[in-house]
Amino acid sequence: MSNPDASQSIRRDNDIPLHGPEAFAGMRKAGQLAASALDMLVGYVEPGVTTEKLDRLAFEFAMDHDAIPATLNYRGYTHSLCTSINHVVCHGIPGPKPLREGDIVNIDITLIVDGWHGDTSRMYPVGQISRKADRLLSVTYEALRLGIEAVKPGDTTGHIGAAIQKFAEEQRCSIVRDFCGHGLGRVFHDRPNILHYGVAGEGVLLQPGMLFTIEPMVNLGRAQVKVLSDGWTAVTRDRELSAQFEHAIGVTEDGCEVFTYSPAGLHCPPYKTE
């Protein structure tokens, strides 16, 4: 789940926690379980299925694996998933409306395992999707990949944002600025905030032991969004399609470790299962 408090700090930058091997092991376990939950859902995302059914499946998966969905009752939110369809940017609420052929949906899950938060999201095509939707998914995943590639100790969070922004805008897409990635660990939303735009060299210095998400939201149209009256659902103002992929990572001595890669290799559509 993205951090809605992009302009607010939970801690001062020099108080960002640096974690050791025990934390990395905990995050690895939580991240892999969250990624496995998204793998499990691949076979269920199809025309006619409701997002509330997907939410129920994710809750049952968490219970079966002794995990806790972090979004359940978080700030009044009452679901285990966020399901964001088409022009919904993030924090879409599961409901009874069936998915339709040609939809694209982001499924965002955070599972708490032994106190550690595994936070990840992935885009799913519903049946056959349009060429522009398929292109948006590819651009968004590549933007995330480039953001991860930019994580190096001694560089800054601005290097991450700059890499994502440059690529997305070269592809004639826009980066949402109202939401950001975030630190996590035993806390769901922590410092540092990870903006998906910016200037290399600006922002927070990256140090080994930092834990955070990178989760760019990329729009086919303009970057502007609005939050609906439910207080959660964010949509594009121009109603153009939006997409998002998210991984949780830890900064290492020479780069980073991605905790939420798919165990089944289902990182990006098209998803092909045996």
Side-chain angles (χ1 to χ4, degrees), residues 58-77:
F59 175 78
E60 292 169 355
F61 180 91
M63 295 301 98
D64 289 344
H65 292 83
D66 297 320
I68 300 169
T71 56
L72 195 58
N73 300 316
Y74 176 77
R75 297 185 179 180
Y77 194 80

Side-chain angles (χ1 to χ4, degrees), residues 126-142:
V126 182
Q128 293 294 317
I129 62 174
S130 67
R131 290 181 64 183
K132 72 175 185 178
D134 185 64
R135 177 177 173 273
L136 175 63
L137 269 54
S138 296
V139 168
T140 306
Y141 185 79
E142 180 65 7

Side-chain angles (χ1 to χ4, degrees), residues 23-240:
F24 273 63
M27 288 296 294
R28 199 174 296 127
K29 184 177 178 181
Q32 284 295 282
L33 189 64
S36 294
L38 294 185
D39 288 350
M40 176 272 296
L41 291 172
V42 167
Y44 293 95
V45 179
E46 59 185 12
V49 173
T50 66
T51 50
E52 66 183 7
K53 177 179 179 178
L54 301 177
D55 186 66
R56 184 171 64 254
L57 288 166
F59 175 78
E60 292 169 355
F61 180 91
M63 295 301 98
D64 289 344
H65 292 83
D66 297 320
I68 300 169
T71 56
L72 195 58
N73 300 316
Y74 176 77
R75 297 185 179 180
Y77 194 80
T78 58
H79 297 275
S80 300
L81 298 176
C82 293
T83 51
S84 302
I85 304 169
N86 294 334
H87 71 290
V88 178
V89 175
C90 62
H91 303 161
I93 301 172
K97 185 178 179 180
L99 293 171
R100 299 181 300 176
E101 181 86 14
D103 284 344
I104 57 173
V105 56
N106 176 271
I107 300 180
D108 190 340
I109 189 168
T110 305
L111 294 181
I112 306 171
V113 180
D114 300 331
W116 298 98
H117 290 70
D119 188 358
T120 184
S121 81
R122 203 180 298 172
M123 295 300 300
Y124 295 74
V126 182
Q128 293 294 317
I129 62 174
S130 67
R131 290 181 64 183
K132 72 175 185 178
D134 185 64
R135 177 177 173 273
L136 175 63
L137 269 54
S138 296
V139 168
T140 306
Y141 185 79
E142 180 65 7
L144 171 61
R145 191 192 68 78
L146 291 170
I148 292 170
E149 192 176 83
V151 177
K152 295 179 177 62
D155 284 350
T156 69
T157 54
H159 284 84
I160 301 171
I164 291 169
Q165 180 183 6
K166 179 176 184 295
F167 176 75
E169 292 179 352
E170 285 175 347
Q171 302 302 311
R172 302 184 303 282
C173 295
S174 58
I175 293 291
V176 172
R177 301 187 178 212
D178 298 62
F179 302 92
C180 64
H182 54 90
L184 80 170
R186 290 194 176 276
V187 177
F188 193 0
H189 292 101
D190 207 342
R191 290 287 290 160
N193 287 332
I194 305 297
L195 305 182
H196 303 114
Y197 61 93
V199 177
E202 295 185 354
V204 177
L205 181 70
L206 296 173
Q207 301 178 67
M210 285 182 174
L211 305 174
F212 52 79
T213 68
I214 304 176
E215 45 184 303
M217 287 145 274
V218 180
N219 295 350
L220 271 182
R222 296 189 296 273
Q224 287 75 20
V225 307
K226 64 179 179 180
V227 177
L228 301 185
S229 59
D230 59 31
W232 287 101
T233 308
V235 301
T236 57
R237 284 190 174 272
D238 59 10
R239 298 187 66 82
E240 286 280 7

